[in-house]
Amino acid sequence: DSGVTQTPKHLITATGQRVTLRCSPRSGDLSVYWYQQSLDQGLQFLIQYYNGEERAKGNILERFSAQQFPDLHSELNLSSLELGDSALYFCASSVELGSLTYEQYFGPGTRLTVT
Amino acid sequence: GDSVTQMEGPVTLSEEAFLTINCTYTATGYPSLFWYVQYPGEGLQLLLKATKADDKGSNKGFEATYRKETTSFHLEKGSVQVSDSAVYFCAYSGAGSYQLTFGKGTKLSVIP
């Protein structure tokens, strides 16, 4: 158990709908990352938040957005869903202090199926 | 652009065989390098890491050495077990950034 929790575990929805994925980082971790894992694209970084502020953006679609709340949990919002958005969405967290690199701890993922 | 290339799978080995999964990277500066493992139906777990050239990461019998001259971070294990069956991902984080760039993953199946 990494200490990172994600809900829900599975989500099935229709095209055009909107969903929200939730992530709670490990206790004490200030950074949250979102990744998408799909068969054709592999594992791709979407977005990072650090202590409530957006830190970095990767290959995140405009239809997707995220935020990190004062209690440090994060939500990933996916809207106008398409069949191609079906994937496993992972959240990860890490501690960041200065310029040191700390490993990321991954949650179990949310499997999204768009029908 | 920056990228990670790892050997295509799947790889099937007999128990106690020697394992090598090749990984090379293209990145500027001095990235940190990682191997993550994903067991069936689970999230990713950090297997080992190396943060500077010539560092050797090791864990659970797995090893990888950060070779800057060949921009490689090959994963090795001397004697695999059935329980090592999983997908292995090579990844790096670039200097000054923290997000991970992953290879496509290599599926390992170990048969008794």
Side-chain angles (χ1 to χ4, degrees):
Chain A
D1 185 353
S2 66
V4 179
T5 61
Q6 290 187 247
T7 57
K9 193 171 176 63
H10 299 280
L11 199 48
I12 301 174
T13 189
T15 54
Q17 295 299 303
R18 173 190 170 93
V19 297
T20 297
L21 314 183
R22 182 188 169 102
C23 166
S24 292
R26 292 188 321 154
S27 176
D29 284 358
L30 299 179
S31 257
V32 169
Y33 309 77
W34 287 97
Y35 293 87
Q36 179 194 60
Q37 185 178 34
S38 62
L39 283 175
D40 52 345
Q41 298 291 328
L43 262 166
Q44 290 197 97
F45 166 70
L46 295 179
I47 196 164
Q48 177 199 2
Y49 277 81
Y50 176 75
N51 203 20
E53 301 287 327
E54 182 183 302
R55 169 70 69 87
K57 262 186 174 179
N59 298 321
I60 188 166
L61 300 172
E62 285 191 12
R63 301 183 284 109
F64 296 1
S65 65
Q67 54 185 326
Q68 186 179 26
F69 295 86
D71 66 353
L72 300 177
H73 90 272
S74 178
E75 293 180 356
L76 179 67
N77 300 295
L78 315 176
S79 61
S80 302
L81 286 167
E82 302 174 359
L83 295 177
D85 298 327
S86 296
L88 197 50
Y89 291 85
F90 286 109
C91 168
S93 73
S94 72
V95 173
E96 290 178 33
L97 292 174
S99 62
L100 297 177
T101 299
Y102 285 82
E103 55 261 32
Q104 295 180 24
Y105 294 86
F106 281 75
T110 293
R111 182 168 295 282
L112 172 66
T113 302
V114 182
T115 61
Chain B
D2 295 353
S3 65
V4 176
T5 302
Q6 61 180 105
M7 62 186 286
E8 297 279 330
V11 174
T12 302
L13 294 174
S14 297
E15 207 164 21
E16 299 184 2
F18 183 85
L19 168 71
T20 300
I21 301 178
N22 290 337
C23 171
T24 57
Y25 67 91
T26 303
T28 55
Y30 299 89
S32 294
L33 301 173
F34 306 84
W35 277 99
Y36 278 83
V37 58
Q38 185 176 28
Y39 297 102
E42 298 184 13
L44 283 82
Q45 299 175 27
L46 178 66
L47 182 58
L48 52 84
K49 68 174 183 178
T51 57
K52 61 183 187 294
D54 300 324
D55 264 3
K56 177 186 279 188
S58 61
N59 186 26
K60 299 181 181 179
F62 291 89
E63 292 183 340
T65 301
Y66 187 154
R67 303 280 188 204
K68 185 161 177 62
E69 64 277 11
T70 55
T71 62
S72 65
F73 193 54
H74 305 324
L75 181 69
E76 296 183 336
K77 187 175 185 182
S79 176
V80 294
Q81 305 301 311
V82 172
S83 57
D84 294 327
S85 298
V87 181
Y88 293 81
F89 292 92
C90 184
Y92 78 83
S93 64
S97 69
Y98 299 97
Q99 64 264 30
L100 293 167
T101 298
F102 286 92
K104 292 190 180 297
T106 302
K107 183 176 181 180
L108 170 67
S109 297
V110 181
I111 54 177

